[in-house]
Amino acid sequence: MWFLSLPVLTACRQNSGKFVNRSNTNDSLIIQPDLNKKVNNASDSGTNLINCQGVAQVKFSDNLNGLIDKFGKDNITIDSLMLEGTYEETFSTIHKSKIDEIKVFWKEKQPPFETMKAIEISNPKSPFRFSNSIGIGSSIQEIEKLNEGVFQFYGFGWDYGGTLISFNNGKLEKDFPCFKAVFQMQQQKNTPSSDPSVMGDHPVQSDHPNLKNYRVVIKKIRIVKT
């Protein structure tokens, strides 16, 4: 029998297409994963591919029992996300705290967990990538190039800071309609810790000139069931 633990988590959640993102804008540098390094993890027996069907072996067609069959009960935890004392949603974590960690968010609030609504990765060294190489640590310049155009996200420094708003009908929106992300702004040498023009509750264009003073990368990828 599964029991839900109820920690107060400063995690991200989906709310009208947004994530809660309570990270500090001065987070340490995200390290690009070594895609050539073999890791004894979930991706060993499959692919590292992210697509709109799932992440590696984790597919939207799976239920909790299916995940247990694939990864083993000891490799899966179940938690309830609480924000300010209020229940938000229930999720399972596969290989918690390892580089191949994957979170699965359930439509159901209690067992049996049959229907996934989102799958998420955020480990800085996560090996999982889209077929076009986008993954944790990809820069906004890389995303712009693959999108074949600028895109929008929310300004940094608040709960939804860095959350992708839209690919502006670009190539990525057509190729991966399930793709959601949170970006992180990293301070570079001899730059201010923040810039009011790219901070706060307002859309920011990926080609904003002041972003050139910072390194802006993906810190979280979530794919949603479409």
Side-chain angles (χ1 to χ4, degrees), residues 21 57 63 70 85 121 123 150 152 172 175 179 223:
N21 175 24
Q57 287 186 289
N63 57 21
K70 288 182 179 181
I121 61 171
N123 189 289
V150 299
Q152 287 185 318
L172 291 178
D175 290 349
F179 179 22
I223 60 170

Side-chain angles (χ1 to χ4, degrees), residues 17-23 25 140 151-166 180-185 198-204 211 216-220:
K18 301 177 181 178
F19 293 122
V20 170
N21 175 24
R22 299 181 184 276
S23 62
T25 57
I140 56 172
F151 57 94
Q152 287 185 318
F153 52 86
Y154 284 104
F156 299 99
W158 65 299
D159 283 353
Y160 296 106
T163 300
L164 175 71
I165 298 173
S166 172
K180 309 295 179 184
V182 174
F183 292 88
Q184 176 187 52
M185 183 175 73
V198 295
M199 306 293 289
D201 181 8
H202 62 89
V204 175
L211 289 176
V216 180
V217 298
I218 292 178
K219 66 172 291 184
K220 196 181 302 288

